[in-house]
Amino acid sequence: MLKKVLLGSLGAALVLTAGILLGHFGIQRGSTAPDWVMDHLSHDRSLVPMCLSRELTKVPHMATSPGDEQTVQYMLKRWQDPDTGLDQAWREEYKVYLSFPDPNTPNKVTVVSPSDAVLYTAREKEKAYSSDQEDPEVVQPYAAYAPAGHPKGRLVYANQGKPSDYFLLNQTLNLTGTVAITRYGGEGRAGKAINAAPYGVIGVLVYTDPWDINDGKMSDNNETYPYSWYMPPSGVERGSFNTHYGDMLTPYLAAKDDTYRIPEKNITGIPPIPTQPIGFEDAYALICELGGEPAPSEWQGAFNCTYNFGGPGFKPTSNFNNSDVKLDIYNREELKNSANVMGVIRGSVEPDRYVIYGNHRDSWVHGAIDPSSGTSVMLEVTRVLGRMVKQGKWRPRRSIIFGSWGAEEFGLIGSTEYTEEYYSKLSERSVAYINVDIACLIAFLQVKTPGSDSSSVYDNWIRYFNRTSPAYGVIPNVGFLTGAGSDYAAFIHFLGITSMDISYTYDRTKTRARIYPAYHTAYDTFDYASKFIDPGFTSHQTVARTAGNVLMRLADSLLLPFNCSDYAETLEGYLSKAMELNTVLEYPVPAPISEPLQTAVRNFRSAAARLDHALSILRPLKVRRINDQLMLLDRAFLDPVAFPDRYGYRHVIWASSKAGQATFPGLADAYTRAASTGLDNDWKEAHRQLSILIQAIQGAAHTLGDTI
């Protein structure tokens, strides 16, 4: 089923600085990579990523586990190979704060009677359909960083655990002392518990509703895995339940042995109450027994029962009547050594300019798609480039740094610690960061769509996921990397390095699945990937060709393939949305503040146009200067005090926003809050955000101008 979906359409490449990158990679059709890159990364080599994937997914490799160390050694072996390796490869260790369940005392979720008799017990492990799920290294589903504890209380249903969900629920029920069951989606993992605690909720369960991930399919007799790509009833999405990224004890410092660590009690952004994920078969058994009033229609899911709020607690007619739900959580935190594996190909002309390519290595279980699909792509790219370097046939103009990040699943830790340790050097010298986490592809004209001899992925991209540009007409659409979903976060939000995240996705008009259904479960295995995601591994190979194409252009082009006028188009789109939302026009201060913002955006557009003209009459001596202007443009949008309460976010254009609008994030959030509360201090914060934004855009325009 998914094979057809994958080959039939293509979703967005999440290109953070969409404007500056899109002009080259999404629109221009020239300046392709050398033929030998495409020849060596050709479709008839699909056996290579298949073999790599099989090797990488033989055993579970959660961060710092024996399987993770085995993968570290495999990466080093490949990158230090005398025939196909890199110039240099090494490991870098960090001592990081991780959270694990107790292997000797599993977490439990039970329904207990007033006399504490156990009436129901949720599964502790997912059902085994093959030997993969029976591997002793498969970690029990748990909520990483949720505290240990043994809360017991009446059950309530809180939808997605958003602030608005708990607010509505609290209008109907007294939530003090209750346990809330929530579904994935709509709110970050940690937020589901953080939002609950102020209402007196003492424990939280999280599950994946079949409506959201399985298009309503629920039976493992013929509907779900192992018969299709859908999550089976016992499947549980593991995850890191934290809102910040990087090591929690060493904010803004690399987590070395001797680094200062804050007290554990000072950690923020993690669940304050015990939390546990469960499968939808157990959620079904609990939700369908709840009493109380029916929940709103938008809270209903795929179960063949009415989703009620809870009495709190179960129906009087239920076998669970007058019973509580009890969580026995034994999670523990540890300082563990975690390694990044680093490699480099030194540049021949500008070795002090870096193009960085990264993928995380650790998984929750076998991780065939997340992250091993991306790891196999990176290994194939480095094999081809490494061979040409070893044979003396090629060397890039700029240096290429490869990073196999550790402990990503616990909060992007490896990549963040790397950016913190090498902050100055990376800030001064980095051209761009390319991230390939889940290798489901986006590509351009030069690369053919998997299964097609004529249609390029560019053609599919523009056919199925496009937008209308004032300058170019219909062009491929891209998403914005406004959150911290993968290892690009520290590079763009913290360092201001132009970044992109490449993935090949499915046709979202054909399914409601918010992500591939085996995500973070024990079913994300080689068997799953080879049967339901990418039979023949042709999509993996196309990703490798695409990533190689992008990497070569960034590393070898005389002029960096960035387009500032397209960045201006993005800012103009944000401005238009801000005006539409009255974020600017109805701001209640005396000054006509809409004009300064419009002027700043116009100035940026003019500066971008002048730079475009300079490129058309370029003289060799100006190449380095203009490349530096292009390279440093995103740094101009960094403001260290713009978001004081949001760790690691400094980019005023691409920071995440709670307002849910495609406009300037800090301004949108501040205005939304002020419009809601009407408080003078909130309006002052909106004015501060506006001033930050105007000055950042004006500063970026100056960056594109003449040197003096």
Side-chain angles (χ1 to χ4, degrees):
M1 172 266 186
L2 186 60
K3 178 71 171 177
K4 181 178 179 181
V5 174
L6 279 172
L7 300 186
S9 111
L10 129 102
L14 299 181
V15 182
L16 178 68
T17 46
I20 199 168
L21 283 171
L22 179 60
H24 184 80
F25 294 115
I27 299 169
Q28 295 182 10
R29 299 191 175 201
S31 184
T32 60
D35 289 341
W36 59 261
V37 176
M38 297 299 105
D39 291 342
H40 286 273
L41 291 170
S42 60
H43 286 307
D44 60 7
R45 294 193 57 86
S46 59
L47 184 62
V48 173
M50 183 184 298
C51 293
L52 290 171
S53 180
R54 190 185 296 275
E55 178 67 27
L56 291 166
T57 60
K58 286 195 303 187
V59 297
H61 46 287
M62 187 168 66
T64 74
S65 69
D68 185 30
E69 177 60 25
Q70 183 176 320
T71 313
V72 167
Q73 295 301 324
Y74 183 69
M75 299 295 295
L76 286 170
K77 178 182 177 182
R78 299 274 305 196
W79 286 358
Q80 293 173 347
D81 186 277
D83 298 320
T84 62
L86 308 176
D87 286 333
Q88 188 179 359
W90 65 97
R91 65 188 294 161
E92 293 195 353
E93 298 280 350
Y94 299 96
K95 181 166 284 187
V96 301
Y97 183 74
L98 304 182
S99 169
F100 302 99
D102 187 334
N104 300 314
T105 312
N107 295 343
K108 290 187 177 182
V109 176
T110 54
V111 177
V112 295
S113 71
S115 63
D116 278 342
V118 175
L119 305 180
Y120 182 86
T121 302
R123 278 185 181 270
E124 294 175 11
K125 293 186 176 182
E126 290 148 301
K127 181 178 177 179
Y129 297 101
S130 72
S131 59
D132 290 324
Q133 290 83 49
E134 296 174 333
D135 191 303
E137 289 296 313
V138 172
V139 68
Q140 177 200 13
Y142 75 111
Y145 298 110
H150 307 277
K152 182 175 71 170
R154 298 299 166 96
L155 188 67
V156 296
Y157 171 56
N159 192 30
Q160 296 177 325
K162 302 187 297 292
S164 59
D165 294 334
Y166 287 111
F167 179 81
L168 176 62
L169 191 60
N170 192 57
Q171 302 304 300
T172 303
L173 302 171
N174 179 2
L175 297 181
T176 301
T178 62
V179 172
I181 184 167
T182 65
R183 60 206 271 184
Y184 274 118
E187 176 65 63
R189 297 186 188 100
K192 297 176 188 298
I194 293 172
N195 298 336
Y199 291 97
V201 176
I202 59 174
V204 171
L205 299 175
V206 188
Y207 79 101
T208 304
D209 198 279
W211 179 264
D212 302 320
I213 200 74
N214 277 9
D215 298 313
K217 305 291 194 302
M218 293 179 56
S219 173
D220 63 352
N221 290 328
N222 56 9
E223 292 182 325
T224 68
Y225 184 80
Y227 301 98
S228 76
W229 78 318
Y230 290 122
M231 176 190 285
S234 66
V236 182
E237 178 185 320
R238 298 152 179 80
S240 179
F241 281 62
N242 56 339
T243 60
H244 305 328
Y245 60 85
D247 179 65
M248 295 185 188
L249 295 182
T250 60
Y252 299 113
L253 296 170
K256 295 296 188 178
D257 287 351
D258 57 354
T259 302
Y260 167 75
R261 287 171 167 80
I262 66 172
E264 291 186 38
K265 66 180 181 180
N266 292 349
I267 293 174
T268 60
I270 60 175
I273 53 180
T275 305
Q276 177 69 17
I278 60 175
F280 68 74
E281 67 175 0
D282 290 314
Y284 176 86
L286 298 175
I287 288 175
C288 288
E289 295 298 316
L290 280 175
E293 297 180 12
S297 59
E298 59 270 23
W299 289 30
Q300 302 298 313
F303 300 154
N304 60 352
C305 66
T306 298
Y307 290 44
N308 296 326
F309 285 136
F314 301 106
K315 302 172 186 175
T317 56
S318 169
N319 291 333
F320 300 156
N321 182 35
N322 290 326
S323 297
D324 292 326
V325 169
K326 184 181 181 186
L327 280 64
D328 291 299
I329 307 301
Y330 300 94
N331 296 347
R332 60 189 186 186
E333 289 70 49
E334 301 179 51
L335 283 177
K336 302 273 284 187
N337 287 323
S338 177
N340 290 338
V341 181
M342 307 302 301
V344 65
I345 297 176
R346 287 185 292 275
S348 59
V349 180
E350 299 181 85
D352 61 336
R353 291 294 180 260
Y354 310 149
V355 179
I356 307 169
Y357 182 123
N359 157 264
H360 77 90
R361 184 188 61 256
D362 64 303
S363 63
W364 283 112
V365 193
H366 292 85
I369 302 302
D370 179 14
S372 297
S373 60
T375 307
S376 64
V377 164
M378 183 165 65
L379 285 172
E380 175 65 347
V381 169
T382 57
R383 179 193 67 82
V384 170
L385 300 185
R387 171 168 289 173
M388 301 306 293
V389 169
K390 296 295 186 183
Q391 293 176 349
K393 296 181 178 179
W394 170 83
R395 184 167 289 280
R397 178 183 180 87
R398 303 176 185 91
S399 295
I400 303 174
I401 297 174
F402 295 95
S404 173
W405 313 122
E408 186 269 358
E409 295 292 7
F410 287 86
L412 318 180
I413 291 177
S415 57
T416 302
E417 302 315 300
Y418 175 74
T419 61
E420 291 171 343
E421 181 170 13
Y422 298 103
Y423 172 86
S424 295
K425 183 166 69 171
L426 294 174
S427 295
E428 294 168 2
R429 303 179 182 180
S430 299
V431 169
Y433 175 71
I434 303 169
N435 193 67
V436 182
D437 184 342
I438 299 174
C440 302
L441 159 84
I442 192 151
F444 315 109
L445 183 69
Q446 192 179 0
V447 182
K448 297 296 185 289
T449 300
S452 169
D453 293 330
S454 59
S455 177
S456 72
V457 180
Y458 179 95
D459 296 331
N460 249 17
W461 184 12
I462 201 169
R463 177 182 177 188
Y464 289 99
F465 196 71
N466 60 63
R467 70 179 181 91
T468 300
S469 160
Y472 305 103
V474 178
I475 61 172
N477 198 6
V478 296
F480 297 148
L481 298 185
T482 54
S486 192
D487 287 300
Y488 53 78
F491 289 95
I492 183 60
H493 297 306
F494 182 52
L495 294 184
I497 295 171
T498 300
S499 302
M500 66 190 307
D501 185 39
I502 303 175
S503 64
Y504 192 78
T505 189
Y506 46 89
D507 185 348
R508 296 181 185 273
T509 67
K510 292 181 168 58
T511 176
R512 288 190 299 271
R514 58 185 176 82
I515 197 166
Y516 71 98
Y519 175 69
H520 286 190
T521 73
Y523 307 109
D524 187 359
T525 62
F526 180 83
D527 175 74
Y528 180 85
S530 62
K531 287 182 179 177
F532 304 116
I533 299 295
D534 189 18
F537 286 77
T538 55
S539 293
H540 282 65
Q541 193 61 35
T542 311
V543 176
R545 301 179 76 223
T546 301
N549 190 328
V550 173
L551 183 60
M552 289 289 295
R553 297 187 197 188
L554 288 167
D556 259 354
S557 298
L558 177 65
L559 279 169
L560 291 178
F562 296 160
N563 190 313
C564 296
S565 291
D566 293 321
Y567 210 133
E569 185 174 303
T570 298
L571 296 182
E572 289 162 351
Y574 271 25
L575 175 63
S576 176
K577 176 59 70 171
M579 302 286 280
E580 177 186 324
L581 296 172
N582 296 325
T583 301
V584 177
L585 291 178
E586 294 187 359
Y587 190 82
V589 298
I593 63 166
S594 60
E595 183 58 32
L597 182 56
Q598 292 178 71
T599 299
V601 173
R602 283 197 301 267
N603 289 345
F604 185 93
R605 164 64 78 179
S606 297
R610 287 193 296 271
L611 187 63
D612 286 347
H613 178 70
L615 293 176
S616 68
I617 56 173
L618 184 66
R619 289 191 285 268
L621 292 179
K622 289 188 176 181
V623 168
R624 175 81 169 194
R625 175 175 69 81
I626 290 179
N627 277 343
D628 282 352
Q629 288 176 286
L630 294 169
M631 178 183 76
L632 296 173
L633 176 59
D634 266 304
R635 271 54 135 212
F637 289 106
L638 296 182
D639 188 306
V641 297
F643 312 108
D645 298 328
R646 301 175 61 193
Y647 175 82
Y649 285 91
R650 304 194 300 167
H651 201 300
V652 301
I653 305 300
W654 305 120
S656 61
S657 169
K658 294 181 179 179
Q661 300 291 339
T663 188
F664 308 108
L667 182 61
D669 285 352
Y671 175 82
T672 300
R673 179 176 177 83
S676 173
T677 66
L679 297 177
D680 183 62
N681 283 342
D682 288 339
W683 283 118
K684 288 179 179 178
E685 173 60 17
H687 196 179
R688 188 181 80 91
Q689 287 292 335
L690 179 70
S691 297
I692 288 171
L693 180 63
I694 290 169
Q695 294 189 21
I697 297 173
Q698 294 282 28
H702 294 320
T703 298
L704 298 179
D706 293 334
T707 54
I708 297 177

